[in-house]
Amino acid sequence: MSRGDKLVEFLFKVWSPIYDQPIFQKPFYRRVHRAVLGAIDAGPPVPASGRVVDLGCGTAQLTDDLRKRFGSATVVGVDLSGDMLAAARKRLGAAAPPLVKGNVYALPLATGGVDLLTSTISYHWYLEPARALAEIRRVVKPGGRFVLATMASLLFKGVVGRARLATAEDTRGELTAAGFRVVSETRVRPGVRVFVAN
Ligand SMILES: C[S@@+](CC[C@H](N)C(=O)[O-])C[C@H]1O[C@@H](n2cnc3c(N)ncnc32)[C@H](O)[C@@H]1O
């Protein structure tokens, strides 16, 4: 694991005990999750025995929504931070979906096995977007969907600390360059967009 990934891991270790507090979840993260679920519903159904992956799932709030929504599909959360996954397991107990520690640059997933891959507010931590998207492209089935909710910088672009601020246009270009076709783009709130790509 790179030094940068270790720093991100440490940041989320510190954040994990308070991440699920309503003060963070209600005004921001849950709103994004609802927008992602809406974008999924607007598209084709997920196959009953399909495979759904929530990448950068953190404390698995959205992963749990997906598990409830796609009961007969296999829903898996993947995240770099073992501490975020531990917080998810603590909150969800026996109902927790499978949660796997993994890095976007080397996903512990078979090639072409994923029908639907979601990622919310994690992409801006990937300082090598082309490398990350190539790995996401590898695991998503041809014809499968990638639903990406990410920051869309309005004023400034560049790297701040360990995070990358990109415009919506940049993200669209990155998706296209990685071989995805962007089928929809929705503004959730100023500075956050949901892209649906296949
Ligand atoms: C702000 S949290 C978002 C968590 C969750 N998706 C949500 O909407 O609440 C960002 C998550 O991305 C994860 N992450 C950052 N870099 C990653 C990487 N290289 N591979 C996998 N996960 C990563 C972090 O560990 C963290 O849990």
Side-chain angles (χ1 to χ4, degrees):
M1 196 189 292
S2 73
R3 196 170 152 265
D5 288 339
K6 281 188 185 142
L7 271 169
V8 174
E9 212 183 3
F10 176 73
L11 174 71
F12 283 99
K13 181 188 185 70
V14 174
W15 203 351
S16 59
I18 54 164
Y19 189 85
D20 282 328
Q21 292 296 316
I23 193 170
F24 300 120
Q25 290 297 320
K26 264 184 125 176
F28 186 69
Y29 293 105
R30 295 305 281 155
R31 197 166 152 192
V32 174
H33 299 158
R34 280 196 298 278
V36 165
L37 293 170
I40 293 169
D41 289 345
V46 172
S49 58
R51 194 164 179 83
V52 177
V53 170
D54 187 23
L55 169 64
C57 66
T59 57
Q61 296 268 358
L62 175 65
T63 327
D64 191 43
D65 294 335
L66 294 166
R67 179 189 66 80
K68 287 175 183 148
R69 185 159 302 213
F70 303 116
S72 55
T74 303
V75 177
V76 178
V78 177
D79 199 281
L80 182 71
S81 165
D83 294 283
M84 292 291 268
L85 298 179
R89 288 191 192 100
K90 191 171 166 193
R91 190 184 78 254
L92 296 169
L99 299 170
V100 181
K101 187 166 157 57
N103 194 326
V104 67
Y105 301 119
L107 289 171
L109 300 167
T111 298
V114 179
D115 295 279
L116 170 67
L117 188 143
T118 57
S119 182
T120 55
I121 319 298
S122 183
Y123 185 67
H124 63 291
W125 294 107
Y126 312 159
L127 294 191
E128 297 177 75
R131 211 178 129 212
L133 288 173
E135 187 61 352
I136 292 169
R137 183 67 276 182
R138 179 185 70 77
V139 301
V140 174
K141 261 184 199 164
R145 258 180 303 167
F146 175 32
V147 181
L148 172 67
T150 190
M151 316 301 276
S153 182
L154 301 173
L155 296 171
F156 175 81
K157 55 192 247 179
V159 174
V160 182
R162 271 295 305 169
R164 191 176 59 90
L165 293 182
T167 63
E169 197 183 348
D170 292 334
T171 302
R172 217 178 303 127
E174 288 157 7
L175 285 164
T176 306
F180 284 103
R181 186 174 64 100
V182 176
V183 294
S184 72
E185 182 179 330
T186 313
R187 181 178 169 278
V188 181
R189 51 176 289 157
V192 181
R193 298 222 178 169
V194 175
F195 298 86
V196 178
N198 60 23

